Every structure is written in C-alpha cells, then in structure tokens.
Amino acid sequence: MMAFLRSLQFRISWIYMVISFVTIGTYVEMYVDRLKVLSTMLARSPQTIKTLSSPTKEVKEEVEQMINNVLLSDSYIKSVVIIGKDGYVLSNEKELNMRRSSDMMNEPWYIAAINSTNPELTSARMQKFSMDSNLDESGN
C-alpha cells in the first residue's frame, strides 16, 4: 500500500484532482461575481429606478432592452426579474407566475436576499418534479 502512495501515478492523479477542484471553484466564483455585477448594474440603473418609481412606457422599454442585453450577454441566463418594493415587476417573461404583495420588502425571501451576498431564488423559479408528487405542501 505504501508503494502505491509513493508511486508517480498516484502523485500525478492527486495533483490533477487538486488542480481540477481549484479551477472549478475559481470558475464558479467568477461566474457568481459576474451575476452580482449584472444584477447591481440593473438595480442601480437610473432607468430602472425611474421605472420602478413612476412607470412610463418609454422608460419601461429602455429597461426591457437592458434586460434583453443581459440575456444576450450570457446564454446561461434564461430569465431576469426585477421586483420593486411595491410589487411592480419588470421581466423578460410575460407569463411570470409569482405571488406578489403590496410590501415586497417584508417578504422573507426579499429579506434573505438583502442580508445575503449570494443571488436569491424565489418560488417563481421552482418547479415540481415527478419525484416530489408524493409530498404534500409541507414537504412531508
């Protein structure tokens, strides 16, 4: 067994696994950073702020164009949803099925997103799969 641990094949395999793990972690970290930059750019855009405070058709079209540009810049991004504190939604999806409230800032997922440094998933993106069909609403 000791001879195997000292073999060149084992050492090369071990180094390859470590380098692969570090590379994958770096790529994931870079992609999350890219998502943070894109979301910050959309959220702090004067057009987005203006549309969420007083929506007009002209400014809304500008924000929708920015959303389309984000989608074109990364083929892995399938949907962009911007939600104002009063529940106003801007998205590339016209048939978005999402529960809204009059005060989105008090929603648990919104509070979690504000307190987190990572992107937050909402129930609007969750789907039921066949293996979940035996579970009731409480998850049991």
Side-chain angles (χ1 to χ4, degrees), residues 46-60 63 86 88 90:
Q47 292 89 353
T48 303
I49 294 169
K50 186 175 181 181
T51 301
L52 293 176
S53 63
S54 59
T56 64
K57 184 177 180 178
E58 182 179 299
V59 180
K60 182 181 176 189
V63 175
D86 62 350
Y88 185 74
L90 294 165

Side-chain angles (χ1 to χ4, degrees), residues 59-71:
V59 180
K60 182 181 176 189
E61 288 174 354
E62 290 179 22
V63 175
E64 288 174 346
Q65 184 58 46
M66 286 192 320
I67 289 172
N68 287 330
N69 289 338
V70 167
L71 294 171

